[in-house]
Amino acid sequence: MNVRTPDPNPGWLSEEDLFEARGRLPMVYVEAVPVRLDPLGYVNEVGTLLQADEDGTMIRSLVSGRVIYRETIRAALLRHMEKDLGPLAFPQLPISPVPFTVAEYFPAPSQTGFTDERQHAVSLAYVIPVTGECEPRQDALELTWMTPEEVLSPGVQMEFAGGRGGLIRQALAFAGVGS
């Protein structure tokens, strides 16, 4: 399954070198759960990207991408938020770069519940409020805003690839939803 956003400036590695590196070491990623807040700061909408995988199956994903060489976590978050949601999303980055969780992805099912058939990846995960207009990335068909109850429903949870439904549950628990 390919959940990768096309990147016209891939940064530090060619596709061949990236393939080789993925086979030898964990890759560092950032992931963001975009949310809209009500006036009191409570999550009232969660944004997910809808896309087709290689088989044409519709899947849901989150804002995500690699941290490139010499890039700060904050810069990586901002770059991927703008790339995946558009330049007018106006993400409100956290004051501190401490994630709500660290997700470990493996090429085969493991005890973590997160899989990425391409690689072993370590992902720093954040809940990021957005206040602007969002346009989905090139490989996403749409950006869907759902209430927390909708995104936590069993049917929607099954649409997430690689265990990301669990990541959504963790993000909402971190934000105080359902507690």
Side-chain angles (χ1 to χ4, degrees):
M1 155 188 39
N2 184 1
V3 293
R4 183 166 170 241
T5 302
D7 192 349
N9 181 15
W12 54 290
L13 294 173
S14 69
E15 288 297 320
E16 296 79 26
D17 290 341
L18 179 59
F19 178 79
E20 183 71 23
R22 282 179 166 152
R24 294 177 181 234
L25 24 109
M27 304 302 288
V28 178
Y29 277 70
V30 290
E31 286 187 284
V33 178
V35 297
R36 296 217 188 261
L37 304 177
D38 70 12
L40 294 175
Y42 293 106
V43 172
N44 63 7
E45 290 184 306
V46 179
T48 65
L49 296 164
L50 184 65
Q51 64 188 91
D53 69 8
E54 293 170 348
D55 301 327
T57 304
M58 301 309 275
I59 60 170
R60 295 203 178 271
S61 65
L62 303 172
V63 171
S64 67
R66 289 191 321 270
V67 178
I68 59 175
Y69 181 69
R70 299 184 62 89
E71 182 178 46
T72 66
I73 299 299
R74 292 176 63 79
L77 273 169
L78 184 59
R79 180 170 58 86
H80 290 293
M81 292 293 289
E82 287 181 352
K83 185 171 67 170
D84 288 357
L85 300 180
L88 300 178
F90 302 129
Q92 305 299 303
L93 295 182
I95 294 170
S96 169
V98 176
F100 73 83
T101 195
V102 175
E104 297 177 89
Y105 291 86
F106 291 94
S110 72
Q111 65 273 21
T112 70
F114 299 107
T115 57
D116 183 337
E117 65 188 29
R118 304 168 299 165
Q119 64 197 338
H120 173 194
V122 176
S123 180
L124 308 174
Y126 299 85
V127 176
I128 306 287
V130 295
T131 59
E133 293 299 317
C134 299
E135 292 292 325
R137 62 188 186 200
Q138 295 175 22
D139 64 338
L141 301 173
E142 70 180 29
L143 171 66
T144 307
W145 291 100
M146 294 181 250
T147 67
E149 295 77 23
E150 290 169 330
V151 80
L152 292 173
S153 71
V156 173
Q157 286 285 299
M158 289 177 37
E159 295 175 0
F160 286 99
R164 286 179 182 85
L167 201 59
I168 290 280
R169 290 191 305 275
Q170 288 180 40
L172 290 174
F174 173 78
V177 175
S179 54

